[in-house]
Amino acid sequence: MERKVFLLTGAAGFIGSNLAHFLASQGHFAVVYDKLTYAGNPASLDGIPLDKFAFVQGDVCDAELVYQTLCRYGIDAVFHLAAESHVDRSIDGPSAFIETNINGTFSMLAAARRYYETLDEERKSRFRFLHISTDEVYGSLGDKGYFTEETPYTPNSPYSASKASSDHLVRAWFHTYGLPVLTTNCSNNYGPRQFPEKLIPLIIHNALAGKELPVYGDGKNVRDWLYVEDHCRALDTVMRFGVPGETYNVGGSCERQNIQIVKTICSILDELRPKSGGAKYEEQIKFVKDRPGHDRRYAIDASKIKSELGWQPQETFESGILKTVKWYLDNQSWIENILNGKYRCERLGLGGSAQ
């Protein structure tokens, strides 16, 4: 496989750091471009060989720095993952989501177009800009049906509205300027290195700490769950074989109610880390007031990426959630450093040509 140099925005975060590890394992070089907001954790890059990545601390809204980075490293393609992504935070403070997800994507596209126009024809033919988005742009499903690439956008939260806006910008830069873009819309990811405000790592941590396990509403909201390494393989597949201008939905075909997720984690912990006296982790579950605009069900139809590009998820939910729980059990210091704020002070181990 030809070695390529990729720019990954937001790759000190959850999906991006897993993608950086994956690309390095394939022999590629990842330039991690990250602002290091609260969700950016340099420790998530630990273990990547120093000759396989470089780190640039920067804001995606800084189009000039993005352009300079593209030129400096001779980037072959861009994975644009940087985004504010927590729905609850978007309800409490939507302005950060507008700035990063909309204005940041605009700046990335402007810088990428400027860089693209400096390339010779051979390099232009290979350059790609892959925008990673979410199934939440499609709104809420009923009990039946699935989101397809043709499903109309009906975002219901400030987060999903900002991602929908960024998707439209990416589409416009293809049709107006000819920038070779691709878009993926994925279902809920889970796996190693996820910030502990998200459902699965939050439940694992709270369970071990003896705290309440909060479940919104009646717990019957349904999501399609995708193991993050399967997502990384999908992104690599779309980057290599996807058709510019096209959108590909990526899902794990693993629909579960939130309450099922929580009870599954409790059951695994009962086996792997049993409580004294025979107590069960399920006893810590507490139903809490539902959040505003909480979509009832998401489910992805991933038949396009499967039939056209040959991608398939390799993990079932049962195998993926077991791997996930084991990772957090084996990496308790990773979570503790986030919860005590130590990770915000750590800038060592970034390697490569760190700036």
Side-chain angles (χ1 to χ4, degrees), residues 69 188 221 283 299:
T69 303
N188 278 36
N221 299 75
E283 298 169 11

Side-chain angles (χ1 to χ4, degrees), residues 283-303:
E283 298 169 11
Q284 297 168 225
I285 293 174
K286 179 180 177 57
F287 292 93
V288 299
K289 182 180 178 181
D290 209 354
R291 70 185 180 204
H294 197 181
D295 291 330
R296 192 63 171 174
R297 173 175 173 259
Y298 303 145
I300 282 282
D301 177 354
S303 58

